[in-house]
Amino acid sequence: MVQYSNLRCEVKDSIGYIVIDREAQLNALNQATLDELQDVFMHFNADNLVRGIILTGAGQKAFIAGADIKEFTDLSVIQARSLSERGHILFSDLIQGAPKPVVAAINGYALGGGLELALACHIRIATESAKMGLPEVSLGLIPGYGGTQRLPALVGKGHAMQMILTGDMIDAQKAAAIGLVNEVVPQEQLMARAETILQKIFTRSRSAVTQAIDAINAAEDKTRKGNHVEMDAFGHLFGTADFKEGVAAFLEKRAPEFK
Ligand code: COA
């Protein structure tokens, strides 16, 4: 496993773990961390031994408290535009577009770019004390890593408008009520719950899981026709060994054994 300066990563029981490890800075996403995230997602996405990914932050205070504001001071208009574009490409292509499930284990503050990173993940689990928000307007900015696009898709336009325009944080219970996180658990159960969800997914057909992620993502992608992606994937899966095994197992009243 490659050693990173800002991440702790390992593979265990088919899960690729990524811990953003800048605890003293509340795991703020500086550009070096974005570089390393790009590298590890490319690595994990291509590694057949990794069947799912869990992303979390070091310590108990923060998942990620946003993009690193200390790096913002020297950026020109053009550099800021390319930083945003870079985040979009990383979050869309490598995280949301990962061919295996990615779970955000939100262990504290998930703010700004940190919440946007969680929004790009496929599933979000939060601790009871987690706080989430997009406070960019308080810096004279707007979200730049997809927040204006992904948040309304997840929680509806009204809640997204209120969160982005006020910049206020919401607690985990409210986040669950509006669909921003899937589940809220006590801090000590966070990783175990994320692992249990992934282990359940690992019992399913790997190719079906990959196609399902792609078809669900296609619904939000204006360059693709989601219905057609679903039809093509549905047809394609009929030709797979997993489909034959899944149906045979059902008819024989046994659990499937996917290869
Ligand atoms: N970028 C850079 N550094 C950050 C950061 C960020 N987004 N968020 C926190 N930090 C740093 C602080 O500057 C401080 O570093 P220092 O000790 O070198 O001064 C350290 O992390 C601890 O943060 P601090 O603000 O002292 O903790 P707190 O408990 O008082 O407050 C927050 C916690 C999350 C409420 C507060 O840090 C905050 O508002 N952060 C910025 C959130 C934000 O606007 N994110 C969107 C960015 S686009």
Side-chain angles (χ1 to χ4, degrees):
M1 186 79 242
V2 184
Q3 291 297 309
Y4 297 105
S5 308
N6 302 287
L7 308 177
R8 272 187 281 125
C9 301
E10 65 168 328
V11 179
K12 211 171 119 210
D13 298 331
S14 305
I15 297 176
Y17 291 86
I18 303 173
V19 181
I20 313 274
D21 194 19
R22 301 184 73 222
E23 196 174 341
Q25 300 297 305
L26 303 189
N27 305 318
L29 284 181
N30 59 359
Q31 296 195 42
T33 306
L34 289 179
D35 288 340
E36 293 184 354
L37 277 172
Q38 177 171 331
D39 193 81
V40 72
F41 268 96
M42 283 172 68
H43 182 81
F44 279 170
N45 285 354
D47 185 346
N48 273 336
L49 297 177
V50 175
R51 296 199 59 185
I53 296 168
I54 297 178
L55 184 64
T56 193
Q60 298 204 344
K61 187 166 171 182
F63 172 69
I64 300 165
D68 192 326
I69 301 169
K70 289 162 187 155
E71 284 188 345
F72 281 3
T73 50
D74 297 332
L75 291 187
S76 68
V77 167
I78 290 173
Q79 287 170 321
R81 169 68 168 76
S82 23
L83 177 65
S84 173
E85 185 173 3
R86 205 172 146 232
H88 269 266
I89 292 169
L90 166 64
F91 288 16
S92 293
D93 293 359
L94 291 177
I95 301 177
Q96 180 169 306
K100 49 197 76 178
V102 183
V103 180
I106 302 174
N107 56 313
Y109 289 114
L111 302 174
L115 181 57
E116 292 176 288
L117 181 51
L119 288 171
C121 295
H122 301 136
I123 293 171
R124 283 154 294 282
I125 310 295
T127 60
E128 289 162 338
S129 57
K131 294 223 165 10
M132 282 150 267
L134 293 174
E136 285 87 347
V137 288
S138 64
L139 298 168
L141 294 174
I142 66 167
Y145 294 156
T148 62
Q149 308 300 300
R150 288 197 184 90
L151 187 63
L154 204 56
V155 304
K157 192 172 170 184
H159 287 300
M161 280 282 185
Q162 187 172 342
M163 282 182 71
I164 292 172
L165 302 187
T166 64
D168 283 346
M169 291 185 215
I170 59 171
D171 62 22
Q173 290 67 30
K174 168 91 182 189
I178 65 174
L180 177 50
V181 299
N182 300 36
E183 294 180 24
V184 179
V185 295
Q187 177 94 35
E188 63 280 6
Q189 291 173 21
L190 180 67
M191 293 308 280
R193 183 62 192 138
E195 286 159 356
T196 301
I197 292 169
L198 282 181
Q199 293 298 344
K200 167 62 75 71
I201 295 172
F202 298 166
T203 66
R204 310 310 191 194
S205 157
R206 188 191 283 223
S207 47
V209 165
T210 298
Q211 298 285 340
I213 292 171
D214 187 50
I216 293 168
N217 282 338
E220 287 168 21
D221 185 340
K222 294 184 181 67
T223 67
R224 304 171 77 196
K225 287 196 161 57
N227 287 340
H228 289 194
V229 173
E230 183 181 288
M231 290 176 225
D232 290 345
F234 186 77
H236 164 80
L237 288 166
F238 268 72
T240 63
D242 276 358
F243 166 70
K244 290 180 180 58
E245 167 61 10
V247 171
F250 175 78
L251 296 174
E252 292 160 23
K253 301 189 188 302
R254 60 174 174 82
E257 283 179 40
F258 295 116
K259 294 284 180 295

